[in-house]
Structures are given as C-alpha cells and as structure tokens.
C-alpha cells in the first residue's frame, strides 16, 4: 500500500462486482476498460472500492472524474487515493462530494492538479 494512502475498508473483487451489478465478469471487465470503474491490486487480488457502486450500478459521475485524473497522469492507485483523501477545497473527500452529487466541483479541483 502506498505511503499515506487512505484506508479503504470495503473492496469488491471481479466476482463480487459481477454479483453486485448483476452482470457477467466479462461485462465488469468492460466497465473497467471503459473507465466506468477503477480498481487496484494493492491488497493482492484485483478489487474495486465498494463505494463506487451505488444502487447496483457504478457511480454515474465516476467515469468523467477518472478520465480527468488520468489526463493529468494519475495512475489507477493515485486516482483511488485522491478520491478517498480529504480535499481541503471541497471540505471532504472527493468521493463523498461525488456521492452527494457535486461532480462539477470535484472535476474542477481535479483539473487543477496538472
């Protein structure tokens, strides 16, 4: 685990995601390839933070945020860490802001990270 990485307690493996999303593992991999979800191998098996799934679907505002962060050269682990780390300009973690429907504010901050 990277130094100073946030503590994320709930992770979903590909089979867990397939169950949670009621999709095939192949469809889950496609969601990952198309940046609707992002995951990490930091705990051994590849997994995705459970917070990225809302009401049985990937969080709708996540894809554009992932792409914005990758555009400024963030690795997948760095994207996940940033989403779960308190961001002073937001007054909370970016994932909390996304879950509250503040995607424009989160993406504005993400674009300043270049």
């Amino acid at each position: 685990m990277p130094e100073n990485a946030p503590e994320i307690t709930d992770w979903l493996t590909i089979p867990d995601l397939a169950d949670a999303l009621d999709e095939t593992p192949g469809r889950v991999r496609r969601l990952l390839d198309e940046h609707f979800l992002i995951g990490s191998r930091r705990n051994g098996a590849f997994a995705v933070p459970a917070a990225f799934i809302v009401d049985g679907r990937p969080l709708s505002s996540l894809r554009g945020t992932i792409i914005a962060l990758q555009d400024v050269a963030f690795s997948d682990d760095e994207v996940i860490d940033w989403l779960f780390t308190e961001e002073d300009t937001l007054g909370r973690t970016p994932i909390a802001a996304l879950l509250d429907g503040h995607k424009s504010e989160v993406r504005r901050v993400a674009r300043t990270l270049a």
Side-chain angles (χ1 to χ4, degrees):
M1 181 187 279
E3 203 173 306
N4 299 325
E7 181 68 30
I8 304 167
T9 56
D10 295 324
W11 292 85
L12 301 172
T13 62
I14 298 284
D16 296 334
L17 284 165
D19 288 344
L21 299 170
D22 195 26
E23 296 282 1
T24 65
R27 175 71 180 132
V28 170
R29 285 185 191 86
R30 199 165 324 115
L31 290 169
L32 288 156
D33 289 344
E34 296 172 359
H35 309 294
F36 286 96
L37 292 169
I38 193 168
S40 173
R41 290 190 184 280
R42 70 177 69 178
N43 296 321
F46 182 84
V48 170
F52 294 168
I53 306 301
V54 178
D55 298 327
R57 305 285 355 128
L59 177 62
S60 62
S61 56
L62 190 61
R63 182 174 192 257
T65 306
I66 290 169
I67 292 168
L69 291 165
Q70 289 174 334
D71 284 349
V72 295
F74 272 45
S75 69
D76 290 356
D77 280 332
E78 289 170 331
V79 169
I80 293 167
D81 290 346
W82 184 79
L83 286 166
F84 285 90
T85 300
E86 188 77 22
E87 176 61 49
D88 292 339
T89 56
L90 297 171
R92 57 191 154 174
T93 64
I95 191 66
L98 288 175
L99 290 166
D100 288 341
H102 298 280
K103 76 176 180 184
S104 297
E105 188 178 356
V106 171
R107 290 184 191 164
R108 177 186 51 77
V109 173
R111 283 190 297 272
T112 68
L113 300 173

